[in-house]
Amino acid sequence: MAQMTMIQAIKDAMRVELQRDPNVVIFGEDVGKVGGVFRATEGLQAEFGEERVYDTPLAEAAIGGMAVGMATQGFRPIMEIQFVGFIYEAFDQIAVQAARMRYRSGGKYQAPITIRTPFGGGVKAAELHTDPLEGLLVQTPGIKVVVPSNPYDAKGLLISAIRDNDPVFFMEHLNLYRSFRAEVPEGEYTVPIGKANVVREGSDVTIITYGAMVHTSLKAAEEIEKTRGVKVEVIDLRTLMPLDTDTIVESIKKTNRAIVVQEAQKTSGIAAEVIAQINEKAILHLEAPVLRVAPPDTVYPFAQIEDQWLPNAAKIVAGLNKVLDF
Amino acid sequence: MSKPSVAGVQDKSYVVAVQEVKPLSVLGTDGTVVNPDEMPKLSDEQLKELMRRMVFTRTWDQRAVNLTRQGRLGFYAPVSGQEATMVGSEFALNKDDFICPGYRDMPQIVWHGLPMYQAFLYSRGHQHGGQIPDDVHVLMPQIIIGAQYLHAMGVAMAFKKKGEKRVSITYTGDGGSSEGDFYEALNFAGAFKLPSIFMVQNNGYAITTPFAKQTAAMSVAHKAVAAGITGVQVDGMDVLAVVKAVQDAAERGRNGEGATLIEALTYRFLPHSMSGDDPSKYRTKEETAEWEQKDPLNRFRTFLVNKGLWSEAEEAAVVEDAKNTVAEQIKKAETTEKMTIPGLIDSMFETTPQHLEEQKADYLA
């Protein structure tokens, strides 16, 4: 097996699918010769040609509309939106056109589109390049939302997304692109959409999280185990829509306490949904209220105070202590 | 025209010389041929079929307006006045060309093959209205003004990549030509040289806002210039001119010569929709009367009668057929099994995820 960064794993997934299925095409801004601003598609145009991997004019709504139109004719478009904040420009095409295609046509048409976009803080990027917008998308019926936290999952989940006959919004955390390498199998394999992963077993309290916060949460889990001796279970959701509530509920039954950590603003986001699911399905197993560790409900701050705004291990430890001491 | 000069603000060569366009027309308002060079090549039978379809569409529209008033249809956007543009443009296509309609464009997709009862189901808010039969190359009508322009561009990209000699056509009104989606679609179609036909049915009003307040451009057709595609303006009350313009555009598309923007100058005799606007608040009687003089049915009828191709009896038979068809098709729509919440839930994804299965169970209990 090869050691790959997440960006290499993502590229590998696209290469595998371009080879396997002639209907897979990749397009977006600067994805061709240069391979995208983060080089996720580097070399793919040279390998598969301009018919399969191509640059578009700079217009996100049209990138989305091209994907929808091509999808109705049997293609499986992978569209890259260069930075997450630019999805607002394409939001009608993603949230209204792609996400409602199956519903509006009574199942006649489908939109097997993968929308790839980088997001996520901690890299001091320019405004609107990092905003965690997953909550907007999860509130949109008809679209799946995937957020991998490591290279192995990224490749397997992206292959699943490309093969999915419904639109999948695939969010790639900027801070994870090149931060570490992991073993990634050659060739094709899939990680199923809709299945969470218990990345750390524990018995006393559960952290439910996703994306880069998986790594911050693992750090917090180690710290609190050292200082307090508690065993923390950490769940990486991997998919935010659909949500794997079975894995969450199983963990609550075991630990009876939980916090949810998210990089997105606190109100009405993924954490709120996870807590609602726990209330509906496991409330009698709780020994304490489930808390959220999340940034305040402000716009994503300019780079100068980004580090203070984002959840860190200390804030997560504080949250764990609250539910343990309830 | 020379290339724009970025540095030289003194250099006026960057100013694009825009000339006034003259709408393409074949028939005068009195039904005589005024432009024989632009006459589309159609057999007598095809000419009669165009008339049949326009008369049928007018009658269908009148019945649909009544059905809406009776509460038997839901959202409905009247089409009377626009028959030449709608019927003529569809007639100029091949059956495997693809139509991305707006919400008013029911005639085009029904004449392209969508069963009329499904158009009625769409109006009545039933999903089956959008379950287009496999051999009918249309999308369900678009509600977001302009989004269909992007879809037509994407469909054309698919045709180009597959090497198929097919074109896509899409429609919006003059209001839709102000949308960002409109410009992005034209620009992409230009950059990729796609076989798309973008039709703007300029009926003078975006619901109530007159065209003069819509744009400062000399015409909608001029907007093709910036995208590097062909732009033409056509008399949208002249069915033969519309057929010619769309035939030419389709030929350009099939020959690899790229996209065309067609602005059809037309008029709707009735409100924007049956859901509220009162045209007397924003249009004068004189204006409407003037456009009624250009009624596409009258002009074409005179043309055909002069050629000995049309009679009152033939027209009466078409009206009768339309009335019977509408009656039969609305009955079929009204007796189609209703949608259900579990069915709705199952239409969200190819495989219904667990949380939706749980939500579905609440309705099956």
Side-chain angles (χ1 to χ4, degrees):
Chain A
M1 267 195 281
Q3 290 276 323
M4 288 188 195
T5 61
M6 198 162 97
I7 197 93
Q8 288 169 332
I10 285 164
K11 186 199 302 179
D12 203 38
M14 289 190 277
R15 179 184 287 119
V16 164
E17 290 305 283
L18 282 165
Q19 265 166 358
R20 193 186 65 88
D21 184 347
N23 289 314
V24 172
V25 286
I26 298 173
F27 54 85
E29 294 157 10
D30 308 306
V31 301
K33 196 171 267 183
V34 77
V37 287
F38 294 102
R39 311 287 180 266
T41 53
E42 193 173 35
L44 294 181
Q45 189 180 67
E47 190 174 346
F48 295 97
E50 283 188 46
E51 285 297 309
R52 306 284 306 280
V53 182
Y54 56 94
D55 290 327
T56 64
L58 197 160
E60 288 79 13
I63 292 169
M66 179 180 271
V68 172
M70 290 182 78
T72 66
Q73 305 304 312
F75 282 93
R76 307 186 79 82
I78 304 172
M79 54 179 270
E80 180 174 300
I81 297 291
Q82 204 158 56
F83 289 98
V84 69
F86 309 168
I87 72 160
Y88 291 113
E89 299 289 331
F91 211 60
D92 175 56
Q93 291 300 328
I94 295 168
V96 179
Q97 308 301 336
R100 294 164 71 103
M101 183 63 83
R102 189 179 294 282
Y103 152 74
R104 294 189 72 232
S105 66
K108 167 67 200 299
Y109 289 110
Q110 52 193 20
I113 299 166
T114 303
I115 305 123
R116 289 185 42 248
T117 185
F119 85 110
V123 294
K124 307 240 180 341
E127 191 180 13
L128 276 165
H129 283 52
T130 50
D131 290 32
L133 301 182
E134 59 271 25
L136 285 180
L137 294 152
V138 166
Q139 258 276 309
T140 302
I143 196 158
K144 296 177 182 176
V145 181
V146 172
V147 187
S149 70
N150 61 70
Y152 176 89
D153 283 359
K155 180 175 171 182
L157 283 164
L158 185 52
I159 291 175
S160 292
I162 296 164
R163 294 180 187 182
D164 201 293
N165 282 332
D166 288 304
V168 179
F169 199 88
F170 197 84
M171 302 181 73
E172 303 164 5
H173 201 288
L174 279 167
N175 219 358
L176 299 179
Y177 266 158
R178 293 185 170 83
S179 58
F180 66 101
R181 286 173 190 276
E183 291 205 334
V184 174
E186 308 278 334
E188 45 182 294
Y189 68 91
T190 57
V191 172
I193 290 173
K195 290 279 175 233
N197 189 21
V198 179
V199 292
R200 189 184 199 272
E201 299 262 359
S203 53
D204 300 320
V205 61
T206 304
I207 301 175
I208 301 149
T209 189
Y210 56 94
M213 284 297 132
V214 171
H215 303 279
T216 315
S217 296
L218 285 168
K219 202 187 288 176
E222 277 163 34
E223 278 179 31
I224 201 167
E225 186 171 349
K226 273 185 213 151
T227 55
R228 195 168 165 165
V230 290
K231 303 265 186 243
V232 183
E233 181 143 303
V234 179
I235 295 176
D236 175 1
L237 290 171
R238 296 199 288 204
T239 301
L240 307 181
M241 172 57 68
L243 200 59
D244 180 4
T245 49
D246 284 352
T247 298
I248 297 167
V249 167
E250 281 311 303
S251 184
I252 296 296
K253 284 180 180 172
K254 187 165 64 168
T255 64
N256 312 117
R257 288 179 166 83
I259 63 168
V260 191
V261 181
Q262 70 177 23
E263 201 175 308
Q265 292 84 342
K266 191 169 187 176
T267 299
S268 299
I270 306 305
E273 176 58 27
V274 168
I275 293 168
Q277 292 285 346
I278 293 170
N279 281 342
E280 285 182 18
K281 295 183 172 169
I283 196 163
L284 294 177
H285 294 278
L286 287 177
E287 296 289 343
V290 182
L291 298 184
R292 286 174 288 186
V293 177
D297 295 328
T298 67
V299 293
Y300 196 99
F302 298 135
Q304 199 168 79
I305 53 168
E306 188 183 53
D307 290 343
Q308 295 164 56
W309 190 82
L310 287 167
N312 56 28
K315 286 178 187 167
I316 297 170
V317 167
L320 290 169
N321 279 325
K322 265 193 192 169
V323 296
L324 287 163
D325 296 335
F326 179 78
Chain B
M1 190 176 73
S2 59
K3 286 274 181 190
S5 167
V6 176
V9 285
Q10 300 301 320
D11 177 2
K12 292 289 173 20
S13 67
Y14 66 88
V15 178
V16 178
V18 177
Q19 294 173 342
E20 203 163 342
V21 292
K22 193 166 177 287
L24 166 71
S25 61
V26 175
L27 294 180
T29 46
D30 61 356
T32 57
V33 177
V34 295
N35 204 348
D37 294 345
E38 298 293 350
M39 177 66 80
K41 289 185 183 64
L42 297 173
S43 66
D44 286 353
E45 189 45 47
Q46 284 176 313
L47 291 171
K48 290 180 73 163
E49 180 61 19
L50 269 176
M51 188 63 190
R52 277 189 211 108
R53 290 186 184 192
M54 288 207 292
V55 171
F56 189 105
T57 302
R58 175 71 57 91
T59 308
W60 159 24
D61 188 56
Q62 288 165 343
R63 294 293 304 132
V65 165
N66 285 337
L67 289 168
T68 310
R69 290 188 176 126
Q70 293 165 22
R72 295 169 75 187
L73 284 180
F75 176 80
Y76 184 72
V79 303
S80 287
Q82 299 189 200
E83 294 93 341
T85 300
M86 293 173 157
V87 169
S89 60
E90 191 282 329
F91 195 81
L93 301 172
N94 294 336
K95 276 298 160 201
D96 68 349
D97 292 332
F98 199 93
I99 300 178
C100 299
Y103 48 76
R104 197 184 302 280
D105 303 312
M106 286 299 180
Q108 297 95 307
I109 59 174
V110 167
W111 288 118
H112 214 55
L114 182 74
M116 186 186 278
Y117 85 96
Q118 286 192 267
F120 290 155
L121 281 172
Y122 177 85
S123 173
R124 290 164 63 88
H126 193 303
Q127 281 182 320
H128 182 56
Q131 279 173 320
I132 313 293
D134 284 343
D135 59 346
V136 179
H137 304 290
V138 308
L139 273 181
M140 50 282 181
Q142 182 54 243
I143 293 296
I144 302 295
I145 315 289
Q148 69 272 24
Y149 266 51
L150 296 174
H151 301 161
M153 174 272 288
V155 166
M157 187 68 165
F159 292 162
K160 185 174 179 178
K161 287 210 174 291
K162 290 178 183 177
E164 294 176 349
K165 295 275 183 199
R166 299 165 72 186
V167 301
S168 65
I169 189 169
T170 187
Y171 301 86
T172 190
D174 39 306
S177 70
S178 297
E179 289 278 357
D181 285 358
F182 170 90
Y183 293 99
E184 292 194 19
L186 264 57
N187 187 53
F188 267 50
F192 289 109
K193 219 164 191 192
L194 301 179
S196 287
I197 303 169
F198 301 113
M199 194 140 191
V200 172
Q201 299 174 83
N202 183 351
N203 62 23
Y205 293 88
I207 306 188
T208 68
T209 304
F211 185 61
K213 291 186 177 174
Q214 197 62 240
T215 179
M218 212 182 283
S219 77
V220 173
H222 279 93
K223 299 187 181 194
V225 173
I229 65 173
T230 306
V232 298
Q233 197 181 53
V234 62
D235 180 347
M237 309 297 263
D238 175 354
V239 71
L240 295 178
V242 172
V243 169
K244 179 68 164 68
V246 177
Q247 278 179 343
D248 289 351
E251 197 181 327
R252 276 192 292 275
R254 285 185 231 288
N255 290 344
E257 293 166 49
T260 303
L261 170 64
I262 301 174
E263 177 188 16
L265 302 174
T266 184
Y267 200 74
R268 60 171 154 79
F269 294 145
L270 295 169
H272 160 71
S273 81
M274 296 306 294
S275 313
D277 67 302
D278 172 4
S280 71
K281 297 232 170 83
Y282 55 91
R283 303 197 298 209
T284 62
K285 276 185 190 153
E286 292 74 25
E287 179 190 284
T288 305
E290 195 185 319
W291 277 93
E292 278 168 357
Q293 294 300 309
K294 302 178 189 170
D295 188 323
L297 271 63
N298 292 344
R299 288 162 81 169
F300 196 52
R301 184 186 297 114
T302 307
F303 169 77
L304 290 182
V305 168
N306 288 345
K307 280 173 77 84
L309 290 174
W310 197 248
S311 69
E312 275 182 33
E314 276 174 289
E315 181 146 339
V318 176
V319 170
E320 190 62 17
D321 176 41
K323 284 181 179 169
N324 291 338
T325 304
V326 169
E328 172 206 315
Q329 295 286 303
I330 188 70
K331 198 169 175 188
K332 192 169 177 186
E334 285 171 338
T335 52
T336 297
E337 204 175 334
K338 284 194 164 62
M339 285 170 66
T340 65
I341 297 294
L344 165 67
I345 288 173
D346 280 338
S347 69
M348 295 312 303
F349 295 101
E350 183 177 47
T351 306
T352 302
Q354 187 189 322
H355 71 286
L356 278 172
E357 286 291 353
E358 289 168 10
Q359 291 169 24
K360 192 167 81 179
D362 291 342
Y363 292 90
L364 295 170

